[in-house]
Amino acid sequence: MEELTGDISPTVAESSNFFSEFNLTREQTIQLISHLNGSMSEYAKCLMDKFVPAIVGGCKSDFDGLLCWNGTEANTLSVLPCVPEIKGIKYNTSHNVSRWCHGNGTWNITDYTECREVHPMVIPQGAEITTTIYFVGYISSLLALIIAMWIFLYFKDLRCLRNVIHTNLMCTYILTDLFWILTLTLQIFADINLATCVFLITFLNYFILTNFFWMFVEGLYLYMLVVQTFTGENITLRVYATIGWGK
C-alpha cells in the first residue's frame, strides 16, 4: 500500500480536497459529473480507478480525453468500442479503438483510425410521396404489359414479325418494372449486401438499355417496311433479336 500511496498521492490529495469541499461521496461525485457530459463521466471513472491498485509492471488507468482505459498488463493491446458521438457527430460503435501498453508501463497514443463517421440517410421532403407514386405507376404498368403480352401470345392470328418485335419490347419493359420494384422493396424492407445490390442494379440498367435498343428495332423495322419495300433485302428476326438483346 505504501508504493500505491506514493504513486498516486497527488491525485488522491486533489480528489480528497474536491470531496471535502463539496461534502460529496465517491458515488455522488460520479453521478454529478455524469450529468455534465460523457467525457467528464469517463474522466470521473478514471479518477476513481486511481484508488484501485495497479497491475504490477503494467499500465495504470488513464483518460485520453475521450475514453477511460483501465489498468492492463504490460505489452498488451487494449480494445474499446468507438465513442457513439463527439460534438454531435455520430460514429459507428461496431468498430474499435485500440491502445498499446508498453513494457515499461506507459500507454501509447490511442488509435482512433478505425472509427468511422455515420452518415445517416437524409430523405428529402416529399420523397416518400414521389416514391409511392412511382411504385403505383410501375405496378400499373406491369399489370397492363402482362395483359398485353398475354394477348399477343395467346391469339395465334396475331403472330407475325411486327408483333414479335412488339412482344420483345413489352418483355423488356416487364423485366425493367420487375427489377425496379424488387430493388425498391429490398432496400426498404431488407438489409441487402453489396453483391445483391450490384446484381440488381446491373440487371436493372441492362433491361433499361434493352428498352432503347428494342425501340430502335421498332424504328428499323418500319424503315425496312416502308423504304425498302420493293427490295429483296429483309432483316430476319435473329438479327433484330441480336440488336435488341445484345447477344
Side-chain angles (χ1 to χ4, degrees):
M1 288 297 296
E2 294 179 359
E3 182 180 356
L4 174 63
T5 305
D7 290 338
I8 65 171
S9 56
T11 305
V12 174
E14 294 173 0
S15 304
S16 300
N17 293 335
F18 180 83
F19 299 145
S20 61
E21 183 177 354
F22 294 96
N23 296 321
L24 298 176
T25 64
R26 177 176 182 271
E27 290 74 15
Q28 290 174 332
T29 303
I30 294 178
Q31 292 177 359
L32 174 63
I33 298 178
S34 65
H35 283 291
L36 300 178
N37 54 52
S39 296
M40 290 298 295
S41 178
E42 289 289 327
Y43 177 74
K45 181 177 180 297
C46 279
L47 182 64
M48 298 309 140
D49 286 341
K50 295 288 186 180
F51 292 96
V52 180
I55 299 174
V56 178
C59 296
K60 298 179 181 180
S61 297
D62 184 63
F63 181 69
D64 66 357
L66 289 176
L67 294 173
C68 178
W69 297 88
N70 296 326
T72 186
E73 298 179 355
N75 297 317
T76 303
L77 182 67
S78 294
V79 178
L80 291 175
C82 293
V83 291
E85 183 177 351
I86 302 176
K87 295 182 179 180
I89 301 176
K90 297 185 181 296
Y91 290 86
N92 190 351
T93 55
S94 63
H95 296 171
N96 294 323
V97 184
S98 60
R99 198 178 187 189
W100 179 261
C101 176
H102 292 287
N104 57 3
T106 59
W107 286 103
N108 193 13
I109 299 175
T110 309
D111 183 10
Y112 283 93
T113 56
E114 292 299 322
C115 294
R116 297 289 186 269
E117 182 180 349
V118 176
H119 298 281
M121 182 180 296
V122 179
I123 301 176
Q125 187 177 4
E128 294 183 358
I129 299 176
T130 304
T131 303
T132 303
I133 294 174
Y134 266 92
F135 191 83
V136 173
Y138 272 97
I139 291 291
S140 302
S141 174
L142 180 63
L143 294 176
L145 287 167
I146 291 175
I147 295 173
M149 193 170 180
W150 176 81
I151 293 173
F152 277 112
L153 295 176
Y154 182 78
F155 295 100
K156 296 182 180 180
D157 296 339
L158 297 176
R159 293 181 184 178
C160 62
L161 181 58
R162 181 182 70 256
N163 289 337
V164 170
I165 294 175
H166 295 338
T167 303
N168 278 272
L169 179 61
M170 287 187 292
C171 183
T172 62
Y173 279 114
I174 290 173
L175 293 172
T176 301
D177 291 351
L178 282 174
F179 270 84
W180 190 92
I181 294 170
L182 181 61
T183 302
L184 179 64
T185 304
L186 291 178
Q187 286 178 345
I188 296 175
F189 299 105
D191 186 15
I192 59 176
N193 54 36
L194 180 61
T196 305
C197 183
V198 171
F199 172 81
L200 292 173
I201 296 299
T202 300
F203 275 88
L204 176 61
N205 284 277
Y206 166 73
F207 290 127
I208 292 175
L209 191 62
T210 57
N211 292 159
F212 293 98
F213 275 96
W214 274 106
M215 284 189 284
F216 169 76
V217 169
E218 290 272 5
L220 179 60
Y221 173 78
L222 290 176
Y223 172 81
M224 296 300 298
L225 190 65
V226 175
V227 179
Q228 303 292 337
T229 303
F230 301 104
T231 63
E233 299 178 0
N234 294 321
I235 301 178
T236 61
L237 177 61
R238 184 186 298 273
V239 177
Y240 285 132
T242 302
I243 298 173
W245 294 108
K247 60 179 180 178

